[in-house]
């Protein structure tokens, strides 16, 4: 069972982890990054580095072990192409006898207005990949390159973090199986926009998704509206919510969302 957690160092990564690493506020050094890469050989993992000119997080090409794979893409690459290439390398690694793949990637901001939404959708697909394949995926973000809201949206769709501010994101949404997502923490007016973006991104890939609220502490009126709005944003989308506590279910009913025809169903 995947659970959200913070990592102190790269030594704490486990199979299936999808880590949001804020590099400029992390204690990690280039030597730590090299150790993360070197651990691939120790544990039988294949290293896959994604980055323009073959660099990511300050890792130079010559420092990458010869058995590793460097995926050179333009500075702003097509997310689908990146994910497809990573999946190919994961399948190849299995055939070659590796335990799994260790992916190190450093996204960069896109100039397009839809860049943030595309990034959230891409990170959710990466999370599905990590969950289903037991890959380790580390996504390095330099806070100086990103605006605050985008970084917040991104952090919320990574189940694991390292080097970010001491205060965790209010909620996290991460893969627990095909079209199934766990949501933990608190969803209120301050993070409702981020939650709406995450749910909309999940619905882009499937007309029906399941949200698990087992570890969700609270969702207020703004969060509930964000959930319903996300389902209505795309036509004929359905959301099944399971595992909500009694308080959440009662608030849902009192808000009038338990009516027939609602695209979001709160299971008993």
């Amino acid at each position: 069972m995947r659970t959200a957690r913070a990592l102190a160092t790269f030594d704490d990564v486990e199979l299936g982890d999808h880590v949001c690493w804020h590099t400029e506020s992390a204690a990690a050094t280039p030597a730590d990054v090299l150790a993360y890469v070197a651990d691939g050989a120790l544990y039988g993992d294949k290293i896959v580095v994604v980055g323009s000119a073959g660099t990511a997080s300050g890792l130079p090409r010559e420092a990458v072990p010869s058995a590793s794979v460097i995926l050179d893409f333009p500075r702003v690459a097509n997310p689908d192409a990146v994910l497809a290439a990573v999946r190919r390398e994961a399948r190849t690694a299995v055939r070659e006898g590796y335990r799994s793949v260790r992916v190190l990637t450093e996204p960069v901001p896109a100039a397009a207005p839809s860049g943030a939404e595309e990034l959230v959708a891409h990170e959710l697909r990466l999370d599905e990949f990590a969950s289903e394949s037991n890959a380790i995926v580390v996504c390095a973000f330099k806070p100086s390159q990103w605006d605050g809201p985008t970084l917040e949206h991104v952090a919320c769709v990574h189940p694991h973090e390292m080097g970010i501010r001491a205060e965790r994101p209010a909620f996290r949404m991460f893969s627990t199986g095909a079209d199934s997502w766990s949501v933990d923490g608190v969803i209120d007016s301050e993070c409702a926009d981020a939650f709406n973006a995450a749910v909309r991104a999940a619905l882009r890939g499937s007309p029906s998704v399941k949200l698990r609220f087992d570890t969700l502490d609270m969702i207020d009126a703004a969060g509930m509206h964000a959930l319903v709005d996300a389902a209505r944003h795309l036509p004929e989308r359905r959301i099944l919510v399971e595992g909500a506590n009694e308080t959440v279910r009662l608030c849902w009913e009192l808000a009038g969302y338990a009516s027939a025809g609602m695209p979001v169903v709160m299971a008993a």
Side-chain angles (χ1 to χ4, degrees), residues 107-169:
V108 294
S114 61
E117 182 176 333
E118 292 291 340
L119 180 60
V120 170
H122 175 60
E123 292 298 341
L124 284 179
R125 292 194 294 271
L126 271 178
D127 194 60
E128 278 189 311
F129 161 72
S131 174
E132 71 190 20
S133 67
N134 259 350
I136 299 171
V137 181
V138 173
C139 302
F141 290 88
K142 288 186 172 68
S144 61
Q145 294 182 349
W146 300 86
D147 61 85
T150 298
L151 280 178
E152 178 188 9
H153 284 42
V154 165
C156 291
V157 292
H158 285 78
H160 315 104
E161 85 267 4
M162 188 178 76
I164 68 173
R165 60 190 183 280
E167 184 179 339
R168 289 183 59 185

Side-chain angles (χ1 to χ4, degrees), residues 24-245:
E24 291 167 358
S25 59
T29 66
D32 296 317
V33 180
L34 289 173
Y36 165 75
V37 171
D39 278 348
L42 178 64
Y43 292 104
D45 299 331
K46 189 171 189 176
I47 303 301
V48 177
V49 180
V50 182
S52 59
T55 63
S57 310
L59 186 67
R61 181 186 293 270
E62 58 271 16
V64 180
S66 58
S68 304
V69 172
I70 297 176
L71 300 176
D72 279 338
F73 283 95
R75 178 173 170 80
V76 180
N78 181 297
D80 291 336
V82 173
L83 183 57
V86 171
R87 285 186 177 278
R88 283 196 301 270
E89 293 303 332
R91 292 192 295 268
T92 301
V94 171
R95 293 195 299 269
E96 293 173 338
Y98 287 95
R99 181 184 71 157
S100 187
V101 292
R102 289 183 174 229
V103 180
L104 180 62
T105 180
E106 185 174 338
V108 294
S114 61
E117 182 176 333
E118 292 291 340
L119 180 60
V120 170
H122 175 60
E123 292 298 341
L124 284 179
R125 292 194 294 271
L126 271 178
D127 194 60
E128 278 189 311
F129 161 72
S131 174
E132 71 190 20
S133 67
N134 259 350
I136 299 171
V137 181
V138 173
C139 302
F141 290 88
K142 288 186 172 68
S144 61
Q145 294 182 349
W146 300 86
D147 61 85
T150 298
L151 280 178
E152 178 188 9
H153 284 42
V154 165
C156 291
V157 292
H158 285 78
H160 315 104
E161 85 267 4
M162 188 178 76
I164 68 173
R165 60 190 183 280
E167 184 179 339
R168 289 183 59 185
F171 79 94
R172 292 190 184 280
M173 181 170 147
F174 53 92
S175 176
T176 53
D179 299 324
S180 178
W181 305 89
S182 178
V183 185
D184 81 346
V186 173
I187 303 171
D188 56 18
S189 58
E190 292 188 3
C191 63
D193 286 346
F195 181 55
N196 178 271
V199 176
R200 283 169 52 178
L203 285 169
R204 288 173 58 174
S206 175
S208 177
V209 301
K210 180 191 299 181
L211 298 182
R212 298 291 315 184
F213 277 14
D214 307 77
T215 54
L216 183 71
D217 297 319
M218 188 270 287
I219 179 169
D220 69 3
M224 293 182 185
H225 175 75
L227 176 58
V228 173
D229 178 78
R232 288 172 170 167
H233 182 73
L234 295 172
E236 299 182 1
R237 267 23 183 209
R238 300 284 293 176
I239 299 173
L240 174 64
V241 177
E242 295 184 346
N245 61 43

